[in-house]
Amino acid sequence: MSLLSGDRFEHPAGGYRKIFETCEELSEPLPATVTGRIPSFLKGSLLRLGPGLFEVGDEPFYHLFDGQALMHKFDFKNGQVTYYRKFVRTDAYVRAITEKRVVITEFGTFAYPDPCKNIFSRFFSYFKGVEVTDNCLVNVYPVGEDFYAVTETNYITKVNPDTLETLKKVIDMCNYININGVTAHPHIENDGTVYNIGNCMGKGATLAYNIVKIPPEQKDKSDPIEKSKVVVQFPSAERFKPSYVHSFGMSENYFVFVETPVKINLLKFLSAWSIRGSNYMDCFESNESQGTLFHVARKDPGEYIDHKFKGAPIGMFHHINTYEDQGFIVFDLCAWKGFEFVYNYLWLANLRANWEEVKKAAMMAPQPEVRRYVIPLDVHKEEQGKNLVSLPYTTATAVMHADGTIWLEPEVLFSGPRQAFEFPQINYNRFGGKNYTYTYGLGLNHFIPDRICKLNVKTRETWVWQEPDSYPSEPLFVQTPDGIDEDDGVLLTIVAAPGSQRPAYLLILNAKDLSEVARAEVECNIPVTFHGMYKP
């Protein structure tokens, strides 16, 4: 069903709670019941990751990003579809299952020390350092010939995308490069080169952010991760408090890094595990006076461009796309207005509340907006007080202040009260880093995912797919093999429909108008998933 964005769905029955409930692994793939016709060019797998275990024994996980990583797979073969899922055998998962308790502290859940250990062994184990979680519940992506399930720490887990077996439990990126963690949102070029960003110790024991490059598949079949290198370093606004980084922008020749006022207090982080029952969420704070800093670097050779670009405070997780045009860098992102950390609203107790409570909590949260910012690359010769952006098609501005700071004001591409356009996707293979027209997203209604959206970033036209009591996930774009237009293709999303006879399905939408092409229903619940990929 396609609706105008003015229509609103209410969810008083609370079916959305089902996407935050534990489910079992499957011992073998389940056949799906197909209605409509699966496009013949879909021949691979849709891979998705998210939390699947929300408590261990009688100990609950408290935050959306704490549940243990479950990998999902829909396989397409000759117009038929099967569904399979398996928990990723991370240290966090294996030890929790073995000891029937939360063993490793997660994002918002503290792991209490083993009651069997006495105070002396606890005291000594504190000095061995922090046990960082490897719960890779956020995304999956290829490196060379291999596939990795990832979160935002320094650990990535090698998985088999066909069997969903865990192949190599933990790869610690710290062993290869100067990095404390990497994001779950790398950029991958068509030749397989992977770029990512993470915070690190920079010059003079201050914090910085490194862009890391992992080369494509090696002729000698050696592991590309071993050949990872740092391309360029961005400075940090605060010496001991890096900003939270979830993704970054990359055009053909430049990187864009948005340094938001949401900070990780490293001193808190290092002491959190020693004294009191702390978790990652306790280590975040907001620098209310910083605003947002926008950093630019050349890609090849890696070179930081030392101009101070600044804007009003925003929270930000997902870049949509970044491209160059006539001496400007244009980058679109899903922003949340203000300096408060949006993850404060993603406690499971909030998300599982009744609908009126969910709405009340979301009214306090930052307001979401799709924004376009423009950075001028040539800023030497301009006088202050003048808008440096001369692109005819955008109202975004960049104004030089007396102190040399260039203040960026965005163009708002989409805004609806408490209605977020999030988990954005584009026709990445053809238009990643290039001037583009369409983005697809998951619509969050007071943080509950209840629609699929399409946005024309040039005209701001929107399309919506929505059905009552249906909770979709991030839509992935797959291009029609002989497609000419940017939106010639389909969107793949997993929809939870808890009240239905078959409570979950893979939905295939026509990317042009969001009309339904087909669905493949399964007789089991599927919990929330965050990100994933289509593997042809």
PDB file of all heavy atoms in Angstrom, residues 21 194 216 220 260 262 324 327 342 426 440 445:
ATOM      1  N   GLU A  21      11.799  -9.686  21.046  1.00  0.00           N
ATOM      2  CA  GLU A  21      11.689 -10.923  21.826  1.00  0.00           C
ATOM      3  C   GLU A  21      12.678 -11.966  21.327  1.00  0.00           C
ATOM      4  O   GLU A  21      12.914 -12.084  20.124  1.00  0.00           O
ATOM      5  CB  GLU A  21      10.261 -11.499  21.724  1.00  0.00           C
ATOM      6  CG  GLU A  21       9.274 -10.810  22.632  1.00  0.00           C
ATOM      7  CD  GLU A  21       7.872 -11.429  22.536  1.00  0.00           C
ATOM      8  OE1 GLU A  21       7.735 -12.556  21.995  1.00  0.00           O
ATOM      9  OE2 GLU A  21       6.927 -10.768  22.989  1.00  0.00           O
ATOM     10  N   VAL A 194      38.173  -1.720   0.879  1.00  0.00           N
ATOM     11  CA  VAL A 194      37.311  -1.339   1.991  1.00  0.00           C
ATOM     12  C   VAL A 194      37.928  -0.154   2.731  1.00  0.00           C
ATOM     13  O   VAL A 194      39.120  -0.174   3.047  1.00  0.00           O
ATOM     14  CB  VAL A 194      37.149  -2.525   2.981  1.00  0.00           C
ATOM     15  CG1 VAL A 194      36.328  -2.116   4.202  1.00  0.00           C
ATOM     16  CG2 VAL A 194      36.499  -3.720   2.292  1.00  0.00           C
ATOM     17  N   PRO A 216      41.766  -4.931  -1.717  1.00  0.00           N
ATOM     18  CA  PRO A 216      40.894  -6.018  -2.192  1.00  0.00           C
ATOM     19  C   PRO A 216      41.602  -7.374  -2.115  1.00  0.00           C
ATOM     20  O   PRO A 216      42.737  -7.467  -1.635  1.00  0.00           O
ATOM     21  CB  PRO A 216      40.593  -5.623  -3.636  1.00  0.00           C
ATOM     22  CG  PRO A 216      41.661  -4.666  -4.032  1.00  0.00           C
ATOM     23  CD  PRO A 216      42.151  -4.009  -2.784  1.00  0.00           C
ATOM     24  N   ASP A 220      48.000 -13.492  -4.058  1.00  0.00           N
ATOM     25  CA  ASP A 220      48.659 -14.620  -3.380  1.00  0.00           C
ATOM     26  C   ASP A 220      47.751 -15.246  -2.315  1.00  0.00           C
ATOM     27  O   ASP A 220      48.195 -16.067  -1.522  1.00  0.00           O
ATOM     28  CB  ASP A 220      49.977 -14.164  -2.745  1.00  0.00           C
ATOM     29  CG  ASP A 220      49.760 -13.086  -1.680  1.00  0.00           C
ATOM     30  OD1 ASP A 220      48.599 -12.750  -1.399  1.00  0.00           O
ATOM     31  OD2 ASP A 220      50.767 -12.588  -1.136  1.00  0.00           O
ATOM     32  N   THR A 260      30.363  14.952  16.027  1.00  0.00           N
ATOM     33  CA  THR A 260      29.181  15.469  16.733  1.00  0.00           C
ATOM     34  C   THR A 260      29.531  15.754  18.193  1.00  0.00           C
ATOM     35  O   THR A 260      30.573  15.330  18.687  1.00  0.00           O
ATOM     36  CB  THR A 260      28.019  14.455  16.685  1.00  0.00           C
ATOM     37  OG1 THR A 260      28.339  13.363  17.566  1.00  0.00           O
ATOM     38  CG2 THR A 260      27.774  13.945  15.271  1.00  0.00           C
ATOM     39  N   VAL A 262      28.280  14.378  20.734  1.00  0.00           N
ATOM     40  CA  VAL A 262      28.125  13.193  21.594  1.00  0.00           C
ATOM     41  C   VAL A 262      29.501  12.556  21.786  1.00  0.00           C
ATOM     42  O   VAL A 262      30.130  12.119  20.831  1.00  0.00           O
ATOM     43  CB  VAL A 262      27.151  12.180  20.963  1.00  0.00           C
ATOM     44  CG1 VAL A 262      27.108  10.903  21.786  1.00  0.00           C
ATOM     45  CG2 VAL A 262      25.760  12.787  20.847  1.00  0.00           C
ATOM     46  N   GLU A 324      30.930  15.131  -5.185  1.00  0.00           N
ATOM     47  CA  GLU A 324      31.559  16.411  -5.530  1.00  0.00           C
ATOM     48  C   GLU A 324      30.830  17.029  -6.714  1.00  0.00           C
ATOM     49  O   GLU A 324      30.394  16.320  -7.613  1.00  0.00           O
ATOM     50  CB  GLU A 324      33.027  16.174  -5.925  1.00  0.00           C
ATOM     51  CG  GLU A 324      33.857  15.545  -4.829  1.00  0.00           C
ATOM     52  CD  GLU A 324      34.984  14.676  -5.395  1.00  0.00           C
ATOM     53  OE1 GLU A 324      35.602  15.088  -6.397  1.00  0.00           O
ATOM     54  OE2 GLU A 324      35.227  13.593  -4.847  1.00  0.00           O
ATOM     55  N   GLY A 327      33.434  22.048  -7.495  1.00  0.00           N
ATOM     56  CA  GLY A 327      34.254  22.613  -6.419  1.00  0.00           C
ATOM     57  C   GLY A 327      33.610  22.555  -5.044  1.00  0.00           C
ATOM     58  O   GLY A 327      34.090  23.187  -4.096  1.00  0.00           O
ATOM     59  N   VAL A 342      20.772  10.000  21.011  1.00  0.00           N
ATOM     60  CA  VAL A 342      19.515   9.317  20.687  1.00  0.00           C
ATOM     61  C   VAL A 342      19.452   7.924  21.327  1.00  0.00           C
ATOM     62  O   VAL A 342      18.375   7.430  21.668  1.00  0.00           O
ATOM     63  CB  VAL A 342      19.347   9.233  19.151  1.00  0.00           C
ATOM     64  CG1 VAL A 342      18.118   8.421  18.773  1.00  0.00           C
ATOM     65  CG2 VAL A 342      19.233  10.640  18.571  1.00  0.00           C
ATOM     66  N   ILE A 426      20.996   3.496  -0.876  1.00  0.00           N
ATOM     67  CA  ILE A 426      20.918   4.047  -2.234  1.00  0.00           C
ATOM     68  C   ILE A 426      21.306   2.943  -3.217  1.00  0.00           C
ATOM     69  O   ILE A 426      21.649   1.833  -2.811  1.00  0.00           O
ATOM     70  CB  ILE A 426      21.868   5.263  -2.405  1.00  0.00           C
ATOM     71  CG1 ILE A 426      23.334   4.834  -2.147  1.00  0.00           C
ATOM     72  CG2 ILE A 426      21.483   6.413  -1.496  1.00  0.00           C
ATOM     73  CD1 ILE A 426      24.364   5.881  -2.552  1.00  0.00           C
ATOM     74  N   TYR A 440      16.420   5.401  -0.123  1.00  0.00           N
ATOM     75  CA  TYR A 440      15.351   4.586   0.458  1.00  0.00           C
ATOM     76  C   TYR A 440      15.637   4.476   1.950  1.00  0.00           C
ATOM     77  O   TYR A 440      16.805   4.467   2.349  1.00  0.00           O
ATOM     78  CB  TYR A 440      15.329   3.187  -0.174  1.00  0.00           C
ATOM     79  CG  TYR A 440      15.364   3.256  -1.682  1.00  0.00           C
ATOM     80  CD1 TYR A 440      16.579   3.187  -2.378  1.00  0.00           C
ATOM     81  CD2 TYR A 440      14.185   3.448  -2.416  1.00  0.00           C
ATOM     82  CE1 TYR A 440      16.620   3.299  -3.757  1.00  0.00           C
ATOM     83  CE2 TYR A 440      14.224   3.557  -3.798  1.00  0.00           C
ATOM     84  CZ  TYR A 440      15.445   3.490  -4.472  1.00  0.00           C
ATOM     85  OH  TYR A 440      15.480   3.617  -5.841  1.00  0.00           O
ATOM     86  N   ASN A 445       8.438   5.616  13.409  1.00  0.00           N
ATOM     87  CA  ASN A 445       7.313   6.377  13.928  1.00  0.00           C
ATOM     88  C   ASN A 445       7.457   6.356  15.445  1.00  0.00           C
ATOM     89  O   ASN A 445       7.200   5.341  16.075  1.00  0.00           O
ATOM     90  CB  ASN A 445       6.028   5.687  13.460  1.00  0.00           C
ATOM     91  CG  ASN A 445       4.776   6.305  14.023  1.00  0.00           C
ATOM     92  OD1 ASN A 445       4.823   7.294  14.736  1.00  0.00           O
ATOM     93  ND2 ASN A 445       3.637   5.694  13.704  1.00  0.00           N
TER      94      ASN A 445
END
